[in-house]
Amino acid sequence: MQLSQYRQVRIEKLEKLKALGLDVWPRKAERTHGIGDLLEAHDREGAKTTNEELEALGKVVSVMGRVIAIREMGKSVFATITEMGVKLQVYFRMNDLAEPGWEVVKLLDLGDFISVTGPVMRTRMGELSVRAQRIQFLTKAHKPLPEKWHGLQDKEVRYRRRYLDLVANPDVLLTFQTRSRIIAKVRSYMEGQRFLEVETPMMQPIPGGATARPFVTHHNALDIPLYLRIAPELYLKRLIVGGFERVFEINRSFRNEGVSMRHNPEFTMMESYAAGEDLRDVMVLTENLFETVAGHLGAVERPYGVDAEGNPRLISYRTPFRRMTLKDATAHYGGFDRALLEDDAQILRLAREAHVEDAEKQTPGALLGALFEHHAEKELIQPTFITDYPVELSPLTKNLPGDDRFVDRFELFIGGMELANAYSELNDPVVQLERFEAQLAEREAGNDEAMLLDEDFIEALEHGFPPCGGLGVGMDRLVMLMTDSSSIRDVLLFPLMRPMAKGAEDEEL
């Protein structure tokens, strides 16, 4: 049967329900309990309420859910409904139902929403159920759930039809429930560290705070170009200038870049700034944050991916985390003498051997960053702080004491990917202006991800910006780690997807 025919049959059933005098699109569902609440109260492992105890309680409840299974047995029907990924059996018997309940049951389809009212019982097979005395019809699903959905391996289709993915795959729903718990825990942790949550503009006249290509839009009334923010950094720093001591923002940011297993053009960060602190303070804050989140989810050692032999891999979030300089990590995992990284000519030679693109056109500092990414990044599985970055890679960061070629920055790597980025923030307006001007020179040379000059930010610094420790954490990647998800699209409810070809919509299913 074609999809259009299935749809027509369901619409005909809807008309029959209307003919019974029902409000087939009611404004409110009859509900006294959530399905999860019932299972928690009566179906916990090792503490299940017996049928005799349930009869003694005489508990009558109203629950709602989507119908995902129907089994007819003469004058009885067993149905399964689901709510928030939790399932409950409903027992319909013709003689138990108030009119026109039985006729409604016979017109149900998989995917419909209903509410049922009746006593809680346990069947002879031991399954917790509601013995329905009344049924309220809530919604007719005009289209069926795809028959082959449970066996579908094409993740592209699942990402496009996330609503079906959530219905069919409880593990997917659990991942996004866990995401919400993680974000809530990050927020409560930061508040517990005396950080104040704030909000900064998502549309900005000058994109700043990171090296990335922005999305461009236009404000018609003011007739000015605007940019979707690539980071909230420069606005949060303005708040420190204005007298805030510790601020953070869980923010949506946008970068006009490609899509990969770890990148989506729209993503979530947590960014924070603490006046009077430096990189060492931020390290402690960061590692305690990760350990706290992992513990909140049940264990500070959590699975993520597999090792080279295909065995499940455990990542430990116990503090303190390992610390390595960028040069040390590059030499260690690259298998060569660290002294080579003190010679610009040797750095260029190593970059050529690693097939770094346009190596001759890049500075030694930029080549060091490329060599680190090539040799070391994928090897950093257990939490590791990488420190001492070349100044070319960090235009908003204080120099290392006594060395103006490197800055006081760390990136935290876990599972072979960057999870956090932190600075001892640059607060000298003269040096900051010089760094911006160097970025402008890079733009003129063809680097369209280099920063623009934000004159208002320079003016803010000139009014006095105290020593400050700044941190950015990739929330999507944090959720990837904590839920053992291999792709960022597995932890985004609606990842960016290429539009489907016209007419391909139903063929996918």
Side-chain angles (χ1 to χ4, degrees), residues 219-262:
H219 191 289
N220 291 335
L222 298 180
D223 192 23
I224 58 172
L226 289 172
Y227 303 87
L228 297 184
R229 70 177 167 205
I230 56 177
E233 177 168 344
L234 302 189
Y235 283 89
L236 291 171
K237 288 180 176 179
R238 285 174 170 91
L239 297 181
I240 299 295
V241 171
F244 284 89
E245 180 190 1
R246 300 163 77 84
V247 295
F248 80 100
E249 182 175 11
I250 296 176
N251 63 89
R252 301 292 283 180
S253 290
F254 309 84
R255 297 181 185 177
N256 201 345
E257 60 189 11
V259 176
S260 76
M261 299 281 281
R262 297 175 180 178

Short mmCIF file of all heavy atoms in Angstrom, two decimals, residues 219-262:
data_model
loop_
_atom_site.label_atom_id
_atom_site.label_comp_id
_atom_site.label_asym_id
_atom_site.label_seq_id
_atom_site.Cartn_x
_atom_site.Cartn_y
_atom_site.Cartn_z
N HIS A 219 20.57 44.40 8.87
CA HIS A 219 19.48 45.00 9.63
C HIS A 219 18.83 46.06 8.76
O HIS A 219 19.44 47.09 8.46
CB HIS A 219 20.00 45.59 10.94
CG HIS A 219 18.91 45.99 11.88
ND1 HIS A 219 18.08 47.06 11.66
CD2 HIS A 219 18.51 45.43 13.05
CE1 HIS A 219 17.22 47.18 12.66
NE2 HIS A 219 17.47 46.19 13.52
N ASN A 220 17.59 45.82 8.34
CA ASN A 220 16.95 46.71 7.38
C ASN A 220 16.69 48.10 7.95
O ASN A 220 16.93 49.11 7.28
CB ASN A 220 15.64 46.10 6.89
CG ASN A 220 15.87 44.88 6.01
OD1 ASN A 220 16.92 44.75 5.39
ND2 ASN A 220 14.90 43.99 5.98
N ALA A 221 16.16 48.19 9.18
CA ALA A 221 15.78 49.49 9.73
C ALA A 221 16.99 50.40 9.92
O ALA A 221 16.93 51.60 9.63
CB ALA A 221 15.04 49.30 11.05
N LEU A 222 18.10 49.82 10.41
CA LEU A 222 19.32 50.62 10.61
C LEU A 222 20.20 50.64 9.38
O LEU A 222 21.17 51.41 9.33
CB LEU A 222 20.11 50.06 11.80
CG LEU A 222 19.41 50.11 13.16
CD1 LEU A 222 20.31 49.53 14.25
CD2 LEU A 222 18.99 51.54 13.52
N ASP A 223 19.90 49.79 8.41
CA ASP A 223 20.67 49.69 7.17
C ASP A 223 22.16 49.46 7.46
O ASP A 223 23.03 50.18 6.98
CB ASP A 223 20.49 50.95 6.31
CG ASP A 223 21.03 50.76 4.90
OD1 ASP A 223 21.13 49.58 4.46
OD2 ASP A 223 21.41 51.76 4.25
N ILE A 224 22.42 48.44 8.28
CA ILE A 224 23.81 48.10 8.61
C ILE A 224 24.00 46.59 8.49
O ILE A 224 23.08 45.82 8.73
CB ILE A 224 24.20 48.55 10.04
CG1 ILE A 224 23.25 47.91 11.07
CG2 ILE A 224 24.21 50.07 10.16
CD1 ILE A 224 23.68 48.14 12.51
N PRO A 225 25.22 46.16 8.14
CA PRO A 225 25.51 44.73 8.18
C PRO A 225 25.69 44.27 9.62
O PRO A 225 26.17 45.03 10.47
CB PRO A 225 26.82 44.61 7.40
CG PRO A 225 27.49 45.94 7.59
CD PRO A 225 26.36 46.95 7.67
N LEU A 226 25.29 43.06 9.91
CA LEU A 226 25.51 42.46 11.22
C LEU A 226 26.04 41.05 11.01
O LEU A 226 25.87 40.45 9.94
CB LEU A 226 24.21 42.42 12.03
CG LEU A 226 23.68 43.75 12.55
CD1 LEU A 226 22.30 43.57 13.17
CD2 LEU A 226 24.63 44.37 13.57
N TYR A 227 26.66 40.53 12.06
CA TYR A 227 27.28 39.20 12.00
C TYR A 227 26.73 38.36 13.15
O TYR A 227 26.60 38.84 14.27
CB TYR A 227 28.80 39.31 12.12
CG TYR A 227 29.43 40.19 11.07
CD1 TYR A 227 29.55 41.57 11.28
CD2 TYR A 227 29.90 39.65 9.88
CE1 TYR A 227 30.12 42.39 10.31
CE2 TYR A 227 30.49 40.46 8.91
CZ TYR A 227 30.59 41.82 9.13
OH TYR A 227 31.15 42.63 8.17
N LEU A 228 26.42 37.10 12.86
CA LEU A 228 26.12 36.18 13.95
C LEU A 228 27.41 35.91 14.71
O LEU A 228 28.46 35.70 14.10
CB LEU A 228 25.55 34.87 13.40
CG LEU A 228 24.21 34.98 12.67
CD1 LEU A 228 23.73 33.59 12.28
CD2 LEU A 228 23.16 35.68 13.50
N ARG A 229 27.32 35.92 16.03
CA ARG A 229 28.55 35.88 16.82
C ARG A 229 29.31 34.57 16.60
O ARG A 229 28.73 33.49 16.48
CB ARG A 229 28.25 36.06 18.30
CG ARG A 229 27.53 34.89 18.96
CD ARG A 229 27.37 35.14 20.45
NE ARG A 229 26.42 34.18 21.01
CZ ARG A 229 25.71 34.41 22.11
NH1 ARG A 229 25.80 35.54 22.75
NH2 ARG A 229 24.88 33.49 22.56
N ILE A 230 30.63 34.71 16.55
CA ILE A 230 31.48 33.55 16.51
C ILE A 230 31.97 33.18 17.90
O ILE A 230 32.46 32.08 18.13
CB ILE A 230 32.68 33.77 15.55
CG1 ILE A 230 33.48 35.01 15.93
CG2 ILE A 230 32.19 33.87 14.11
CD1 ILE A 230 34.71 35.25 15.07
N ALA A 231 31.82 34.12 18.85
CA ALA A 231 32.15 33.90 20.26
C ALA A 231 31.63 35.09 21.06
O ALA A 231 31.56 36.20 20.53
CB ALA A 231 33.66 33.74 20.46
N PRO A 232 31.30 34.90 22.33
CA PRO A 232 30.83 36.01 23.16
C PRO A 232 31.97 36.75 23.87
O PRO A 232 31.72 37.67 24.64
CB PRO A 232 29.93 35.31 24.18
CG PRO A 232 30.58 33.99 24.38
CD PRO A 232 31.15 33.60 23.03
N GLU A 233 33.21 36.38 23.61
CA GLU A 233 34.36 36.79 24.41
C GLU A 233 34.46 38.29 24.64
O GLU A 233 34.61 38.76 25.78
CB GLU A 233 35.65 36.27 23.75
CG GLU A 233 36.91 36.70 24.47
CD GLU A 233 38.14 35.95 23.99
OE1 GLU A 233 37.97 34.91 23.32
OE2 GLU A 233 39.24 36.40 24.28
N LEU A 234 34.44 39.07 23.56
CA LEU A 234 34.74 40.50 23.72
C LEU A 234 33.66 41.23 24.51
O LEU A 234 33.94 42.21 25.21
CB LEU A 234 34.95 41.14 22.35
CG LEU A 234 36.07 40.52 21.50
CD1 LEU A 234 36.33 41.38 20.26
CD2 LEU A 234 37.35 40.34 22.30
N TYR A 235 32.42 40.75 24.43
CA TYR A 235 31.36 41.37 25.23
C TYR A 235 31.46 40.96 26.69
O TYR A 235 31.23 41.78 27.60
CB TYR A 235 29.99 40.99 24.66
CG TYR A 235 29.65 41.76 23.42
CD1 TYR A 235 30.01 41.29 22.16
CD2 TYR A 235 28.98 42.98 23.49
CE1 TYR A 235 29.71 42.01 21.01
CE2 TYR A 235 28.67 43.71 22.35
CZ TYR A 235 29.05 43.22 21.11
OH TYR A 235 28.75 43.95 19.98
N LEU A 236 31.81 39.72 26.96
CA LEU A 236 31.99 39.29 28.35
C LEU A 236 33.15 40.05 29.01
O LEU A 236 33.07 40.44 30.18
CB LEU A 236 32.24 37.78 28.41
CG LEU A 236 31.04 36.90 28.05
CD1 LEU A 236 31.45 35.45 27.93
CD2 LEU A 236 29.91 37.06 29.07
N LYS A 237 34.20 40.31 28.24
CA LYS A 237 35.32 41.09 28.79
C LYS A 237 34.92 42.53 29.08
O LYS A 237 35.38 43.13 30.05
CB LYS A 237 36.50 41.05 27.82
CG LYS A 237 37.21 39.71 27.76
CD LYS A 237 38.35 39.76 26.76
CE LYS A 237 39.14 38.47 26.76
NZ LYS A 237 40.24 38.47 25.78
N ARG A 238 34.04 43.07 28.25
CA ARG A 238 33.53 44.42 28.53
C ARG A 238 32.84 44.46 29.89
O ARG A 238 32.88 45.47 30.60
CB ARG A 238 32.56 44.85 27.44
CG ARG A 238 33.21 45.24 26.10
CD ARG A 238 32.11 45.49 25.06
NE ARG A 238 32.57 46.10 23.83
CZ ARG A 238 32.95 45.44 22.74
NH1 ARG A 238 32.95 44.10 22.76
NH2 ARG A 238 33.32 46.08 21.64
N LEU A 239 32.17 43.36 30.25
CA LEU A 239 31.50 43.31 31.55
C LEU A 239 32.50 43.30 32.69
O LEU A 239 32.24 43.87 33.76
CB LEU A 239 30.60 42.07 31.62
CG LEU A 239 29.44 42.03 30.62
CD1 LEU A 239 28.62 40.76 30.82
CD2 LEU A 239 28.56 43.26 30.73
N ILE A 240 33.64 42.65 32.49
CA ILE A 240 34.69 42.70 33.52
C ILE A 240 35.21 44.12 33.67
O ILE A 240 35.43 44.61 34.79
CB ILE A 240 35.85 41.73 33.16
CG1 ILE A 240 35.35 40.29 33.08
CG2 ILE A 240 37.00 41.86 34.16
CD1 ILE A 240 34.85 39.71 34.39
N VAL A 241 35.39 44.82 32.54
CA VAL A 241 35.77 46.24 32.61
C VAL A 241 34.74 47.02 33.41
O VAL A 241 35.07 47.90 34.21
CB VAL A 241 35.91 46.83 31.18
CG1 VAL A 241 36.09 48.36 31.24
CG2 VAL A 241 37.07 46.20 30.45
N GLY A 242 33.45 46.68 33.21
CA GLY A 242 32.38 47.42 33.87
C GLY A 242 32.20 47.10 35.34
O GLY A 242 31.38 47.76 36.01
N GLY A 243 32.93 46.13 35.88
CA GLY A 243 32.87 45.88 37.31
C GLY A 243 32.38 44.51 37.73
O GLY A 243 32.43 44.18 38.92
N PHE A 244 31.88 43.70 36.78
CA PHE A 244 31.56 42.33 37.14
C PHE A 244 32.85 41.59 37.47
O PHE A 244 33.87 41.80 36.82
CB PHE A 244 30.86 41.62 35.97
CG PHE A 244 29.42 42.00 35.79
CD1 PHE A 244 29.08 43.08 35.00
CD2 PHE A 244 28.41 41.28 36.41
CE1 PHE A 244 27.75 43.43 34.81
CE2 PHE A 244 27.09 41.62 36.23
CZ PHE A 244 26.75 42.71 35.43
N GLU A 245 32.78 40.69 38.47
CA GLU A 245 33.99 39.97 38.87
C GLU A 245 34.10 38.61 38.20
O GLU A 245 35.16 38.22 37.71
CB GLU A 245 34.00 39.78 40.39
CG GLU A 245 35.24 39.03 40.87
CD GLU A 245 35.15 38.62 42.33
OE1 GLU A 245 34.12 38.91 42.97
OE2 GLU A 245 36.12 38.00 42.82
N ARG A 246 32.99 37.86 38.16
CA ARG A 246 33.01 36.50 37.60
C ARG A 246 31.72 36.32 36.80
O ARG A 246 30.62 36.33 37.36
CB ARG A 246 33.10 35.46 38.73
CG ARG A 246 34.35 35.60 39.58
CD ARG A 246 34.21 34.84 40.90
NE ARG A 246 34.38 33.41 40.74
CZ ARG A 246 35.56 32.79 40.73
NH1 ARG A 246 36.69 33.49 40.83
NH2 ARG A 246 35.64 31.49 40.61
N VAL A 247 31.85 36.12 35.49
CA VAL A 247 30.68 35.98 34.64
C VAL A 247 30.83 34.74 33.76
O VAL A 247 31.94 34.30 33.46
CB VAL A 247 30.47 37.22 33.73
CG1 VAL A 247 30.15 38.45 34.57
CG2 VAL A 247 31.67 37.47 32.83
N PHE A 248 29.67 34.18 33.37
CA PHE A 248 29.70 33.09 32.39
C PHE A 248 28.44 33.16 31.54
O PHE A 248 27.44 33.78 31.92
CB PHE A 248 29.82 31.72 33.07
CG PHE A 248 28.52 31.16 33.62
CD1 PHE A 248 27.80 30.20 32.92
CD2 PHE A 248 28.03 31.60 34.85
CE1 PHE A 248 26.62 29.67 33.43
CE2 PHE A 248 26.85 31.07 35.37
CZ PHE A 248 26.14 30.10 34.66
N GLU A 249 28.52 32.54 30.37
CA GLU A 249 27.39 32.48 29.47
C GLU A 249 27.39 31.12 28.77
O GLU A 249 28.43 30.69 28.25
CB GLU A 249 27.44 33.60 28.43
CG GLU A 249 26.24 33.61 27.49
CD GLU A 249 26.24 34.79 26.54
OE1 GLU A 249 27.26 35.50 26.45
OE2 GLU A 249 25.20 35.00 25.87
N ILE A 250 26.24 30.45 28.79
CA ILE A 250 26.06 29.25 27.97
C ILE A 250 25.37 29.74 26.70
O ILE A 250 24.21 30.17 26.74
CB ILE A 250 25.23 28.19 28.70
CG1 ILE A 250 25.99 27.70 29.94
CG2 ILE A 250 24.92 27.01 27.78
CD1 ILE A 250 25.24 26.71 30.81
N ASN A 251 26.12 29.74 25.61
CA ASN A 251 25.72 30.53 24.45
C ASN A 251 25.69 29.71 23.18
O ASN A 251 26.39 28.71 23.04
CB ASN A 251 26.68 31.71 24.28
CG ASN A 251 28.09 31.25 23.98
OD1 ASN A 251 28.47 31.05 22.83
ND2 ASN A 251 28.91 31.04 25.03
N ARG A 252 24.87 30.16 22.23
CA ARG A 252 24.88 29.64 20.87
C ARG A 252 25.81 30.53 20.05
O ARG A 252 25.69 31.76 20.06
CB ARG A 252 23.48 29.67 20.27
CG ARG A 252 22.47 28.87 21.04
CD ARG A 252 22.71 27.39 20.99
NE ARG A 252 22.28 26.80 19.74
CZ ARG A 252 22.39 25.51 19.46
NH1 ARG A 252 22.96 24.69 20.32
NH2 ARG A 252 21.96 25.04 18.31
N SER A 253 26.74 29.91 19.35
CA SER A 253 27.65 30.63 18.47
C SER A 253 27.58 30.02 17.07
O SER A 253 27.11 28.89 16.90
CB SER A 253 29.08 30.61 19.01
OG SER A 253 29.17 31.41 20.17
N PHE A 254 28.07 30.78 16.10
CA PHE A 254 27.89 30.40 14.69
C PHE A 254 29.19 30.66 13.93
O PHE A 254 29.74 31.76 14.00
CB PHE A 254 26.76 31.23 14.07
CG PHE A 254 25.49 31.21 14.87
CD1 PHE A 254 25.30 32.07 15.94
CD2 PHE A 254 24.48 30.31 14.56
CE1 PHE A 254 24.14 32.05 16.69
CE2 PHE A 254 23.31 30.28 15.30
CZ PHE A 254 23.13 31.15 16.36
N ARG A 255 29.66 29.67 13.22
CA ARG A 255 30.86 29.83 12.40
C ARG A 255 30.60 29.23 11.03
O ARG A 255 30.13 28.10 10.91
CB ARG A 255 32.07 29.18 13.09
CG ARG A 255 32.38 29.88 14.42
CD ARG A 255 33.56 29.33 15.16
NE ARG A 255 33.67 29.98 16.46
CZ ARG A 255 34.57 29.67 17.39
NH1 ARG A 255 35.47 28.71 17.16
NH2 ARG A 255 34.59 30.32 18.54
N ASN A 256 30.90 30.03 10.02
CA ASN A 256 30.58 29.66 8.63
C ASN A 256 31.65 28.71 8.12
O ASN A 256 32.53 29.08 7.34
CB ASN A 256 30.50 30.92 7.78
CG ASN A 256 29.72 30.70 6.51
OD1 ASN A 256 29.47 29.57 6.12
ND2 ASN A 256 29.33 31.78 5.87
N GLU A 257 31.57 27.47 8.58
CA GLU A 257 32.59 26.48 8.29
C GLU A 257 31.93 25.19 7.84
O GLU A 257 30.70 25.06 7.83
CB GLU A 257 33.45 26.22 9.54
CG GLU A 257 32.65 25.70 10.74
CD GLU A 257 33.44 25.65 12.03
OE1 GLU A 257 34.55 26.20 12.06
OE2 GLU A 257 32.95 25.06 12.99
N GLY A 258 32.74 24.23 7.51
CA GLY A 258 32.22 22.95 7.04
C GLY A 258 31.61 22.13 8.15
O GLY A 258 31.70 22.45 9.33
N VAL A 259 30.96 21.04 7.74
CA VAL A 259 30.33 20.10 8.67
C VAL A 259 31.19 18.85 8.74
O VAL A 259 31.67 18.34 7.72
CB VAL A 259 28.91 19.74 8.19
CG1 VAL A 259 28.29 18.69 9.09
CG2 VAL A 259 28.04 20.99 8.14
N SER A 260 31.44 18.37 9.97
CA SER A 260 32.23 17.16 10.14
C SER A 260 31.71 16.40 11.35
O SER A 260 30.71 16.79 11.96
CB SER A 260 33.72 17.50 10.33
OG SER A 260 33.95 17.98 11.65
N MET A 261 32.39 15.33 11.71
CA MET A 261 32.01 14.55 12.88
C MET A 261 32.09 15.38 14.16
O MET A 261 31.44 15.06 15.16
CB MET A 261 32.91 13.33 13.03
CG MET A 261 32.85 12.36 11.87
SD MET A 261 31.40 11.29 11.93
CE MET A 261 31.94 10.09 13.16
N ARG A 262 32.88 16.48 14.13
CA ARG A 262 33.08 17.28 15.34
C ARG A 262 32.71 18.75 15.16
O ARG A 262 32.93 19.55 16.07
CB ARG A 262 34.55 17.18 15.79
CG ARG A 262 34.94 15.76 16.16
CD ARG A 262 36.41 15.65 16.48
NE ARG A 262 36.77 14.28 16.83
CZ ARG A 262 38.01 13.89 17.12
NH1 ARG A 262 39.00 14.76 17.09
NH2 ARG A 262 38.25 12.62 17.43
#
